[in-house]
Each structure stands twice: as structure tokens, then as C-alpha cells.
Amino acid sequence: MSADAQKRAAAEFALKMVINGATVGLGTGSTANYFTEAAAAKVKREKLDTKFVPTSQTTYALAQKLGMNLVTIEQAPFLDATVDGCDEFDSSFRLIKGGGGALHREKIVASSSKFMITICDASKQVETLGAFPLPVEVSKYGVNATSWKIERALVHLGYKDPKMSIRVNAQGKPFITESGNPIIDIKLGKIDDAEKLDGYLNNTPGVIETGFFIGICGVVIMGTDKGVVELTRA
Ligand code: 5RP
């Protein structure tokens, strides 16, 4: 089964979160798009009264085109569930997210939900986080100053050769998130101390959001060659 088919299968499996009367967060990315499409079809088919909170303009546009009942996080600050993709997850249900640059809103919405369910293909399961560069959203003001402070913290934590890069868009200009901020991607290879590193990053002036989702996700629904696997955090 291709990665795309695995993503689609995981998205369809997560449809059980779409129930009458619920408010559900919609993630961002290709896997989340499959979920949005499948959720819209289910709501129509079963005539459900389900509200959705999109985590980005892209997801908003897709969901609106599909005629979904959309509300903002301000209108619905307590959600029943959020279903979103991830870039990596480990056996402790720690995620790296933000490959699509929506980490700030995704984290606000996911952490406001009773359940966060991540949906993914099998390539996202890792033993140790870090092969995927960790996105860190930072203030535009003082971006280089924030960058050297992060680098100093990384060296202090024992990372020998952190590769830091300010994300650029297709035009080669700095990528700016919907919250108006640049992203620094940090390639570490192996992250053994995610909680500690997250703490250091969150204490660095200028850091707005890290791509670590720790203690937020309770269920992983993963498409594999052998079918869909559902993992639940103990
Ligand atoms: C966007 C994200 C995405 O969920 C993550 O990048 C996974 O994307 P995809 O489903 O396309 O593989 O965090 O900010």
C-alpha cells in the first residue's frame, strides 16, 4: 500500500470521532485533508450536527468548499477531539509536527481538545525523534538573535553539530506562518531528551512555538501495509 493509501485509510478509520453534537479540530497537511474530506462526506451522509475548527487557512478553505459547519477556536474553546497528521511519533506518543508550518494553531487547537488523534502512514513511526528537522516558530523580530540562543542551548545540551535553517518558501523568501512568524528548522538526527529540549526552547526569548507535541496526543491511527493500526497511550 502506498504512503498515500495508508494516510487515506488512517483518515477513514478516524471518522469514528465525527459524531452528532461533537466539535472536532481539523488538522493541516495531506493526511488531515483526507480526514476533512471523509468527515464532510460522513456529516452529509448521516445528516450529523458536527462542528469543526480548522487549524489553517488551507484547511478552512477546503472545509468551507465542502460545506462543513465551521467555527473558530474563539467560538469553541473546548473541543471534543482533534484529528491531525504528524511528521514523526515515538512510542511515548511524542510528536514532531509543523512540516506544513501550522504548528502554532495546531497545538492550540489540539491542546484544547479532550482527545488528540494523530493519523499517519507507517513512515512516521520512529524509535527516536529527530530525523525530521524540528520546526521552531520564532518572532520575526530578532530572528538571528533567537537562532544563536537556540544554538547555544543545543550545544549546552550536548548536540554536537545542530543544523539550523530559516525556512524559505517556493520563492526563496523566508516562510511566514499564518501567525506572522518565521520558522527555524533544526536538524538534530536523534533527540534523546525531547522534554528537556522542549523546556529549553520554550524558555528562549523569541520562541513562539516548538514542533514538539508532548503529552497531547492520546491515540495514533496509522495506516500500514497490513491495514490500519490503532495505538492508545497508556
Ligand atoms: C502541518 C503538520 C502536518 O500534520 C505534518 O507535516 C504531516 O503532514 P502530512 O500529513 O502531509 O504528511 O504538522 O503543520
Side-chain angles (χ1 to χ4, degrees):
M1 216 197 268
S2 69
D4 231 37
Q6 292 177 6
K7 289 179 180 189
R8 195 187 287 271
E12 274 161 20
F13 196 95
L15 276 182
K16 60 183 172 177
M17 303 314 298
V18 178
I19 53 174
N20 205 36
T23 304
V24 178
L26 297 172
T28 296
S30 58
T31 323
N33 284 349
Y34 286 134
F35 177 75
T36 299
E37 285 164 1
K42 178 172 175 178
V43 164
K44 233 175 234 165
R45 196 171 57 239
E46 298 184 15
K47 300 190 175 33
L48 301 177
D49 174 21
T50 312
K51 295 185 179 64
F52 296 92
V53 179
T55 54
S56 63
Q57 286 303 325
T58 313
T59 302
Y60 173 87
L62 174 65
Q64 200 193 35
K65 192 178 91 192
L66 295 169
M68 297 170 94
N69 184 2
L70 296 176
V71 290
T72 65
I73 185 78
E74 280 72 23
Q75 292 165 319
F78 304 102
L79 291 85
D80 294 291
T82 285
V83 179
D84 200 351
C86 69
D87 297 301
E88 282 186 350
F89 78 93
D90 71 5
S91 58
S92 300
F93 291 70
R94 297 178 296 196
L95 316 180
I96 287 184
K97 282 185 53 55
L103 59 160
H104 186 47
R105 295 187 183 192
E106 288 174 334
K107 201 186 280 188
I108 292 173
V109 173
S111 62
S112 307
S113 307
K114 276 188 221 145
F115 301 102
M116 181 200 183
I117 296 98
T118 195
I119 50 176
C120 60
D121 64 88
S123 72
K124 307 293 177 77
Q125 183 172 34
V126 296
E127 212 160 285
T128 310
L129 298 174
F132 191 90
L134 177 71
V136 180
E137 185 162 343
V138 298
S139 158
K140 205 186 267 178
Y141 181 82
V143 61
N144 291 331
T146 304
S147 182
W148 74 249
K149 272 170 239 163
I150 292 176
E151 197 164 355
R152 186 181 58 181
L154 290 168
V155 170
H156 172 76
L157 287 171
Y159 292 96
K160 296 251 165 347
D161 187 21
K163 302 253 181 316
M164 328 251 304
S165 53
I166 295 176
R167 191 180 295 186
V168 291
N169 60 22
Q171 290 74 44
K173 299 255 160 55
F175 172 91
I176 300 297
T177 69
E178 287 179 13
S179 303
N181 309 305
I183 288 181
I184 300 175
D185 289 305
I186 309 173
K187 181 121 199 204
L188 295 169
K190 217 163 161 265
I191 300 172
D192 289 316
D193 54 355
E195 281 83 359
K196 196 170 173 186
L197 175 54
D198 199 33
Y200 267 81
L201 292 170
N202 282 317
N203 276 323
T204 304
V207 168
I208 287 165
E209 199 70 84
T210 78
F212 282 128
F213 281 50
I214 297 175
I216 296 177
C217 173
V219 176
V220 174
I221 297 177
M222 175 174 66
T224 76
D225 271 342
K226 297 193 180 76
V228 175
V229 176
E230 182 175 23
L231 307 167
T232 305
R233 194 172 67 182

